[in-house]
């Protein structure tokens, strides 16, 4: 148990850091394109790109799913913290541990699904769909 406590925070910090860096750079690139489209034709152009092109729809849907996955990540962190605090007790309640474990598994699975869908939409957008001109 001691090894798990020492190992887990390092991994969680690495995953959180890489996720935040990915989100920041992805959002920056998205804003760069949207500002360019705005300069080229105003909000009508931005609206047409986001809702009228395959690339825009794919990026928009991927971004929405990614944001939902990010919010669910907060639930995962809450569940992990609760579980670790239960393990710190000398005599943890088995029922509370089972509830925390089930909640963590459910949140993790839902978050994984949303983030996987997000990555698929983003990959489709940047790999197969051409950027609107």
């Amino acid at each position: 148990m001691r090894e798990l406590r020492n190992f887990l925070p390092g991994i969680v910090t690495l995953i959180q850091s890489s996720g935040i860096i990915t989100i920041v750079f992805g959002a920056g690139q998205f804003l760069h394109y949207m500002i360019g489209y705005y300069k080229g034709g105003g909000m009508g152009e931005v609206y047409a790109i986001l809702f009228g092109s395959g690339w825009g729809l794919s990026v928009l849907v991927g971004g929405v799913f990614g944001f939902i996955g990010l919010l669910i990540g907060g639930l995962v962190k809450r569940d992990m913290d609760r579980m670790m605090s239960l393990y710190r007790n000398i005599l943890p309640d088995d029922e509370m541990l089972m509830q925390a474990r089930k909640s963590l598994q459910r949140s993790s699975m839902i978050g994984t699904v949303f983030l996987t869908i997000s990555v698929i939409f983003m990959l489709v957008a940047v790999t197969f769909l051409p950027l609107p001109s």
Side-chain angles (χ1 to χ4, degrees):
M1 192 63 204
R2 184 175 296 137
E3 291 176 12
L4 179 63
R5 279 191 219 148
N6 292 334
F7 175 73
L8 200 56
I11 292 297
V12 170
T13 302
L14 173 69
I15 291 170
Q16 288 174 339
S17 300
S18 61
I20 289 171
I21 289 170
T22 302
I23 289 169
V24 167
F25 281 107
Q29 185 176 12
F30 176 73
L31 287 175
H32 172 75
Y33 285 124
M34 291 302 110
I35 289 170
Y37 293 130
Y38 179 77
K39 286 181 179 179
M43 281 307 289
E45 179 74 14
V46 172
Y47 184 82
I49 295 297
L50 282 178
F51 298 105
S53 70
W55 178 86
L57 283 173
S58 186
V59 169
L60 183 65
V61 170
V64 168
F65 275 93
F67 185 72
I68 293 170
L70 176 69
L71 294 177
I72 292 172
L75 296 176
V76 170
K77 181 174 179 355
R78 182 202 64 195
D79 292 340
M80 286 181 67
D81 290 343
R82 185 171 49 179
M83 200 155 152
M84 292 308 278
S85 70
L86 288 172
Y87 274 117
R88 285 188 200 120
N89 292 336
I90 295 173
L91 296 170
D93 183 16
D94 288 339
E95 181 64 30
M96 291 177 74
L97 283 173
M98 288 300 291
Q99 288 177 349
R101 188 173 293 135
K102 285 181 182 179
S103 179
L104 178 62
Q105 288 173 340
R106 183 179 54 249
S107 298
S108 296
M109 182 58 69
I110 293 169
T112 300
V113 168
F114 274 102
L115 292 174
T116 301
I117 291 171
S118 175
V119 168
I120 290 169
F121 272 101
M122 297 292 183
L123 282 173
V124 166
V126 299
T127 306
F128 301 110
L129 300 174
L131 270 169
S133 53

